[in-house]
mmCIF file of all heavy atoms in Angstrom:
data_model
loop_
_atom_site.group_PDB
_atom_site.id
_atom_site.type_symbol
_atom_site.label_atom_id
_atom_site.label_comp_id
_atom_site.label_asym_id
_atom_site.label_seq_id
_atom_site.Cartn_x
_atom_site.Cartn_y
_atom_site.Cartn_z
ATOM 1 N N GLY D 1 10.248 -53.894 35.655
ATOM 2 C CA GLY D 1 10.204 -53.140 34.408
ATOM 3 C C GLY D 1 9.056 -52.148 34.266
ATOM 4 O O GLY D 1 8.571 -51.880 33.130
ATOM 5 N N LYS D 2 8.564 -51.604 35.342
ATOM 6 C CA LYS D 2 7.412 -50.714 35.395
ATOM 7 C C LYS D 2 7.752 -49.294 35.243
ATOM 8 O O LYS D 2 6.883 -48.465 35.276
ATOM 9 C CB LYS D 2 6.626 -51.000 36.569
ATOM 10 C CG LYS D 2 6.085 -52.387 36.830
ATOM 11 C CD LYS D 2 5.129 -52.807 35.760
ATOM 12 C CE LYS D 2 4.475 -54.201 36.026
ATOM 13 N NZ LYS D 2 3.566 -54.672 34.879
ATOM 14 N N VAL D 3 9.054 -48.927 35.156
ATOM 15 C CA VAL D 3 9.527 -47.535 35.213
ATOM 16 C C VAL D 3 10.270 -47.153 33.959
ATOM 17 O O VAL D 3 11.094 -47.919 33.495
ATOM 18 C CB VAL D 3 10.371 -47.325 36.501
ATOM 19 C CG1 VAL D 3 10.879 -45.862 36.555
ATOM 20 C CG2 VAL D 3 9.633 -47.682 37.709
ATOM 21 N N ALA D 4 10.009 -45.966 33.429
ATOM 22 C CA ALA D 4 10.807 -45.435 32.367
ATOM 23 C C ALA D 4 11.343 -44.071 32.797
ATOM 24 O O ALA D 4 10.920 -43.454 33.799
ATOM 25 C CB ALA D 4 9.896 -45.227 31.061
ATOM 26 N N VAL D 5 12.281 -43.479 32.051
ATOM 27 C CA VAL D 5 12.850 -42.249 32.332
ATOM 28 C C VAL D 5 12.662 -41.334 31.154
ATOM 29 O O VAL D 5 12.854 -41.739 29.998
ATOM 30 C CB VAL D 5 14.436 -42.340 32.556
ATOM 31 C CG1 VAL D 5 15.039 -40.949 32.758
ATOM 32 C CG2 VAL D 5 14.682 -43.216 33.786
ATOM 33 N N ILE D 6 12.335 -40.018 31.444
ATOM 34 C CA ILE D 6 12.235 -39.001 30.449
ATOM 35 C C ILE D 6 13.304 -37.895 30.900
ATOM 36 O O ILE D 6 13.265 -37.406 31.941
ATOM 37 C CB ILE D 6 10.944 -38.352 30.327
ATOM 38 C CG1 ILE D 6 10.005 -39.304 29.598
ATOM 39 C CG2 ILE D 6 11.036 -36.986 29.514
ATOM 40 C CD1 ILE D 6 8.549 -38.766 29.455
ATOM 41 N N THR D 7 14.236 -37.624 29.976
ATOM 42 C CA THR D 7 15.214 -36.580 30.135
ATOM 43 C C THR D 7 14.840 -35.446 29.142
ATOM 44 O O THR D 7 14.777 -35.714 27.890
ATOM 45 C CB THR D 7 16.646 -37.011 29.841
ATOM 46 O OG1 THR D 7 16.921 -38.074 30.780
ATOM 47 C CG2 THR D 7 17.593 -35.878 30.041
ATOM 48 N N VAL D 8 14.554 -34.253 29.660
ATOM 49 C CA VAL D 8 14.196 -33.131 28.796
ATOM 50 C C VAL D 8 15.550 -32.434 28.446
ATOM 51 O O VAL D 8 16.191 -31.887 29.208
ATOM 52 C CB VAL D 8 13.304 -32.123 29.525
ATOM 53 C CG1 VAL D 8 12.973 -30.928 28.700
ATOM 54 C CG2 VAL D 8 12.013 -32.841 29.919
ATOM 55 N N ALA D 9 15.864 -32.555 27.159
ATOM 56 C CA ALA D 9 17.218 -32.097 26.654
ATOM 57 C C ALA D 9 17.146 -31.197 25.436
ATOM 58 O O ALA D 9 17.888 -31.478 24.421
ATOM 59 C CB ALA D 9 18.042 -33.339 26.491
ATOM 60 N N GLY D 10 16.203 -30.282 25.449
ATOM 61 C CA GLY D 10 16.058 -29.462 24.270
ATOM 62 C C GLY D 10 16.871 -28.223 24.220
ATOM 63 O O GLY D 10 16.910 -27.519 23.248
ATOM 64 N N GLY D 11 17.619 -27.987 25.369
ATOM 65 C CA GLY D 11 18.318 -26.674 25.526
ATOM 66 C C GLY D 11 19.772 -26.730 24.974
ATOM 67 O O GLY D 11 20.454 -27.819 25.081
ATOM 68 N N GLN D 12 20.267 -25.661 24.463
ATOM 69 C CA GLN D 12 21.650 -25.549 24.072
ATOM 70 C C GLN D 12 22.451 -25.008 25.227
ATOM 71 O O GLN D 12 21.947 -24.465 26.161
ATOM 72 C CB GLN D 12 21.810 -24.468 22.930
ATOM 73 C CG GLN D 12 21.117 -24.883 21.605
ATOM 74 C CD GLN D 12 21.993 -25.847 20.805
ATOM 75 O OE1 GLN D 12 22.771 -26.606 21.281
ATOM 76 N NE2 GLN D 12 21.989 -25.621 19.513
ATOM 77 N N GLY D 13 23.815 -25.168 25.158
ATOM 78 C CA GLY D 13 24.605 -24.673 26.299
ATOM 79 C C GLY D 13 25.154 -23.179 26.090
ATOM 80 O O GLY D 13 26.155 -22.844 26.660
ATOM 81 N N SER D 14 24.374 -22.452 25.304
ATOM 82 C CA SER D 14 24.832 -21.112 24.938
ATOM 83 C C SER D 14 25.086 -20.219 26.160
ATOM 84 O O SER D 14 26.043 -19.437 26.252
ATOM 85 C CB SER D 14 23.896 -20.514 23.987
ATOM 86 O OG SER D 14 22.542 -20.524 24.450
ATOM 87 N N ARG D 15 24.288 -20.374 27.211
ATOM 88 C CA ARG D 15 24.428 -19.501 28.444
ATOM 89 C C ARG D 15 25.724 -19.931 29.192
ATOM 90 O O ARG D 15 26.128 -19.143 30.003
ATOM 91 C CB ARG D 15 23.220 -19.639 29.366
ATOM 92 C CG ARG D 15 21.988 -18.967 28.852
ATOM 93 C CD ARG D 15 20.834 -19.167 29.713
ATOM 94 N NE ARG D 15 21.038 -18.649 31.094
ATOM 95 C CZ ARG D 15 20.052 -18.783 32.107
ATOM 96 N NH1 ARG D 15 18.962 -19.477 31.844
ATOM 97 N NH2 ARG D 15 20.378 -18.292 33.274
ATOM 98 N N LEU D 16 26.266 -21.121 28.844
ATOM 99 C CA LEU D 16 27.448 -21.564 29.474
ATOM 100 C C LEU D 16 28.740 -21.291 28.637
ATOM 101 O O LEU D 16 29.738 -21.662 28.947
ATOM 102 C CB LEU D 16 27.398 -23.057 29.774
ATOM 103 C CG LEU D 16 26.136 -23.474 30.562
ATOM 104 C CD1 LEU D 16 26.175 -25.037 30.686
ATOM 105 C CD2 LEU D 16 26.088 -22.922 31.971
ATOM 106 N N GLY D 17 28.429 -20.561 27.485
ATOM 107 C CA GLY D 17 29.567 -20.397 26.563
ATOM 108 C C GLY D 17 29.902 -21.676 25.829
ATOM 109 O O GLY D 17 31.107 -21.847 25.414
ATOM 110 N N PHE D 18 28.902 -22.604 25.654
ATOM 111 C CA PHE D 18 29.135 -23.945 25.112
ATOM 112 C C PHE D 18 28.292 -24.161 23.880
ATOM 113 O O PHE D 18 27.053 -24.072 24.001
ATOM 114 C CB PHE D 18 28.822 -24.937 26.207
ATOM 115 C CG PHE D 18 29.064 -26.393 25.775
ATOM 116 C CD1 PHE D 18 30.316 -26.845 25.573
ATOM 117 C CD2 PHE D 18 27.946 -27.286 25.657
ATOM 118 C CE1 PHE D 18 30.556 -28.230 25.292
ATOM 119 C CE2 PHE D 18 28.170 -28.590 25.332
ATOM 120 C CZ PHE D 18 29.460 -29.087 25.130
ATOM 121 N N ASP D 19 28.941 -24.297 22.706
ATOM 122 C CA ASP D 19 28.208 -24.275 21.468
ATOM 123 C C ASP D 19 27.810 -25.706 21.049
ATOM 124 O O ASP D 19 28.272 -26.299 20.066
ATOM 125 C CB ASP D 19 29.082 -23.692 20.379
ATOM 126 C CG ASP D 19 28.349 -23.519 19.060
ATOM 127 O OD1 ASP D 19 27.100 -23.418 19.096
ATOM 128 O OD2 ASP D 19 28.977 -23.466 18.019
ATOM 129 N N ALA D 20 26.957 -26.326 21.911
ATOM 130 C CA ALA D 20 26.438 -27.659 21.654
ATOM 131 C C ALA D 20 25.192 -27.834 22.587
ATOM 132 O O ALA D 20 24.981 -27.114 23.516
ATOM 133 C CB ALA D 20 27.556 -28.694 21.865
ATOM 134 N N PRO D 21 24.490 -29.025 22.376
ATOM 135 C CA PRO D 21 23.398 -29.306 23.348
ATOM 136 C C PRO D 21 23.932 -29.422 24.809
ATOM 137 O O PRO D 21 25.066 -29.876 25.006
ATOM 138 C CB PRO D 21 22.906 -30.645 22.893
ATOM 139 C CG PRO D 21 23.247 -30.673 21.431
ATOM 140 C CD PRO D 21 24.534 -29.925 21.245
ATOM 141 N N LYS D 22 23.225 -28.904 25.744
ATOM 142 C CA LYS D 22 23.695 -28.810 27.181
ATOM 143 C C LYS D 22 23.996 -30.199 27.672
ATOM 144 O O LYS D 22 24.978 -30.322 28.459
ATOM 145 C CB LYS D 22 22.641 -28.118 28.007
ATOM 146 C CG LYS D 22 23.085 -27.871 29.394
ATOM 147 C CD LYS D 22 22.078 -27.270 30.280
ATOM 148 C CE LYS D 22 21.935 -25.777 30.030
ATOM 149 N NZ LYS D 22 21.018 -25.151 31.014
ATOM 150 N N GLY D 23 23.348 -31.205 27.220
ATOM 151 C CA GLY D 23 23.647 -32.607 27.773
ATOM 152 C C GLY D 23 25.029 -33.050 27.419
ATOM 153 O O GLY D 23 25.612 -33.962 28.007
ATOM 154 N N MET D 24 25.717 -32.429 26.450
ATOM 155 C CA MET D 24 27.036 -32.770 26.053
ATOM 156 C C MET D 24 28.100 -32.007 26.929
ATOM 157 O O MET D 24 29.275 -32.194 26.702
ATOM 158 C CB MET D 24 27.281 -32.546 24.584
ATOM 159 C CG MET D 24 26.411 -33.489 23.707
ATOM 160 S SD MET D 24 26.193 -32.940 22.001
ATOM 161 C CE MET D 24 27.901 -32.917 21.428
#
């Protein structure tokens, strides 16, 4: 249990033509 994960998910999917957070 010594490891954690950080996912940086602040971006929108607008460059992909996707109107939602990129993670979706």
Side-chain angles (χ1 to χ4, degrees):
K2 301 295 185 183
V3 180
V5 175
I6 287 178
T7 301
V8 177
Q12 295 276 36
S14 51
R15 286 176 62 183
L16 308 176
F18 182 68
D19 188 23
K22 187 181 284 188
M24 295 163 58

